[in-house]
Amino acid sequence: MRILVVDDHKAHAEGLAELLSIRGYAAWYVADAETALADLDKLHVDVILSDVNLSGMSGYELCRRVRATPKFDHVAFIFHTASEDISGKLHGGDAFLTYPIGIGDLTTVITGCVARRTPERMLDTVCLFAGAA
């Protein structure tokens, strides 16, 4: 699974991408929404994990633009922020997370969001569990 972390706090974005990589995801980060949009076509991402408060274009506007592009319908969009304001749930994201969140909980949310966006992945997961029984 390929995850793009969008956060203008480099240390945070870098650390999050590294933790996700350790968990087996292909993860990298960009510092702003404009770069995320420019890179989206060539990176073939499954998940965008975006801060709400970015310099320049906000995470909400990034989500709106991703959702307005049909070829990105499969991309799960997860907001992450330190803000307690949950109005972000109204902006088209698949999940809205506030810090702190453990990496185990984050990966569970990622898996669930991707499964909801791509039904064939849900079937693969069900078959995997059935085969393990």
Side-chain angles (χ1 to χ4, degrees):
M1 195 176 312
R2 299 170 61 85
I3 301 173
L4 177 61
V5 177
V6 185
D7 197 318
D8 54 1
H9 297 282
K10 184 179 179 187
H12 182 258
E14 208 170 51
L16 193 52
E18 185 175 332
L19 282 172
L20 290 166
S21 293
I22 290 168
R23 289 288 182 128
Y25 297 98
W28 60 100
Y29 69 93
V30 295
D32 57 67
E34 291 84 0
T35 304
L37 285 173
D39 290 350
L40 207 51
D41 267 331
K42 59 186 171 190
L43 297 178
H44 306 289
V45 302
D46 299 300
V47 178
I48 296 173
L49 182 59
S50 178
D51 190 7
V52 170
N53 299 312
L54 300 168
S55 56
M57 184 189 316
S58 74
Y60 296 143
E61 178 63 14
L62 172 60
C63 184
R64 188 190 68 73
R65 291 189 185 189
V66 169
R67 291 289 178 249
T69 308
K71 67 181 172 183
F72 299 132
D73 284 347
H74 70 283
V75 176
F77 200 104
I78 302 170
F79 291 111
H80 66 94
T81 185
S83 172
E84 295 286 327
D85 178 9
I86 61 169
S87 67
K89 293 181 179 181
L90 305 174
H91 291 274
D94 295 287
F96 190 90
L97 306 173
T98 56
Y99 291 127
I101 184 168
I103 190 68
D105 292 334
L106 176 59
T107 58
T108 298
V109 170
I110 288 169
T111 301
C113 289
V114 168
R116 284 192 300 275
R117 283 268 160 204
T118 54
E120 65 276 4
R121 287 185 187 244
M122 179 69 96
L123 182 59
D124 290 345
T125 303
V126 170
C127 290
L128 176 66
F129 286 125

